[in-house]
Amino acid sequence: MHVVALARSADALESLVEEISSSGGSAEFRTCDISKAAELGDLIEEIASTNGRLDVLVNNAGITRDGLILRMSNEDFDDVITVNLKAAFVACRAASRPMMRGRYGRIVNIGSVSGLTGNPGQANYAAAKAGLVGLTKSIAKELGGKGITANVVAPGFIKTDMTEALGAAVEAEIAPRTAVKRIGEVEDIAAAVSYVASDGAGYLTGQVIVVDGGLAQ
């Protein structure tokens, strides 16, 4: 499988491509501002055309602009919706065309438990992730007959650059509340995405796979 990674900056992508290539895989990266719908859609169509097919789409870009709703600006709400929800819609729409031609596809949208339970100070983020669930379930019903599945993988509290900014105290408070008594690792999410994107998951569609260590049960 050939991997094409997209992000606004090439800095993180260069090391990712090197890691995939050193492990015997094939990869390249392209830069793109996913908040610009036309740019994102055109690039996905170009990638599919250049490579002859598009089998798997993973939408995992996300930003936060946290704040209580009384203080949240329209701009902070719109920015999060644009990147976390609208860009996923644009990417799914663009990817659906080559997937339909190939009669095969796996769409994996990265959601969040916040989109299922809500979270104080994250009305914009939770709304975007909840919208992602509805988007994915609709896509699953529309494209299932074409051999295309669509699912959401919804992480809980995972060690990432985004969560590290919250501090060690938050991590220490969250870990005991999970059933497994630890904070999640990116490998936990990767394992779930790998299965949902596999040939073996052809009968799994329209689902939300919660990977949160039992935090939100």
Side-chain angles (χ1 to χ4, degrees):
M1 178 179 290
H2 181 66
V3 177
V4 182
L6 304 183
R8 184 160 39 190
S9 171
D11 295 341
L13 296 180
E14 290 177 344
S15 59
L16 173 62
V17 169
E18 289 176 2
E19 182 179 350
I20 294 173
S21 299
S22 64
S23 300
S26 174
E28 65 178 285
F29 71 85
R30 306 287 292 275
T31 57
C32 175
D33 183 351
I34 68 169
S35 67
K36 298 179 179 178
E39 180 180 339
L40 175 59
D42 289 347
L43 181 55
I44 290 175
E45 291 180 4
E46 178 192 331
I47 290 169
S49 177
T50 299
N51 290 277
R53 59 187 298 122
L54 179 59
D55 296 323
V56 178
L57 171 70
V58 179
N59 286 307
N60 68 333
I63 62 170
T64 56
R65 297 286 187 273
D66 294 351
L68 296 176
I69 194 163
L70 287 174
R71 301 173 183 171
M72 184 176 292
S73 68
N74 291 340
E75 291 75 18
D76 285 345
F77 187 87
D78 290 344
D79 287 349
V80 170
I81 294 295
T82 296
V83 172
N84 295 12
L85 180 57
K86 183 180 178 180
F89 157 72
V90 172
C92 289
R93 181 178 61 190
S96 66
R97 297 185 181 97
M99 286 182 176
M100 288 176 66
R101 288 195 295 269
R103 303 289 298 184
Y104 179 92
R106 298 284 184 266
I107 294 173
V108 186
N109 291 321
I110 305 301
S112 170
V113 293
S114 293
L116 306 176
T117 64
N119 201 32
Q122 287 194 318
N124 48 5
Y125 186 80
K129 295 303 186 180
L132 202 59
V133 172
L135 172 68
T136 304
K137 287 180 176 290
S138 297
I139 292 171
K141 292 180 181 296
E142 289 185 20
L143 303 181
K146 307 295 185 181
I148 302 168
T149 65
N151 293 284
V152 174
V153 172
F157 198 94
I158 307 297
K159 289 182 181 179
T160 65
D161 292 342
M162 186 182 294
T163 57
E164 280 184 4
L166 299 176
V170 174
E171 179 176 333
E173 190 271 332
I174 293 291
R177 290 166 50 194
T178 69
V180 298
K181 308 305 179 187
R182 69 174 177 87
I183 299 301
E185 304 284 350
V186 293
E187 290 80 6
D188 296 316
I189 306 305
V193 172
S194 179
Y195 171 67
V196 173
S198 71
D199 291 342
Y203 203 58
L204 178 71
T205 195
Q207 302 303 307
V208 180
I209 314 300
V210 178
V211 187
D212 70 345
L215 177 64
Q217 64 180 336

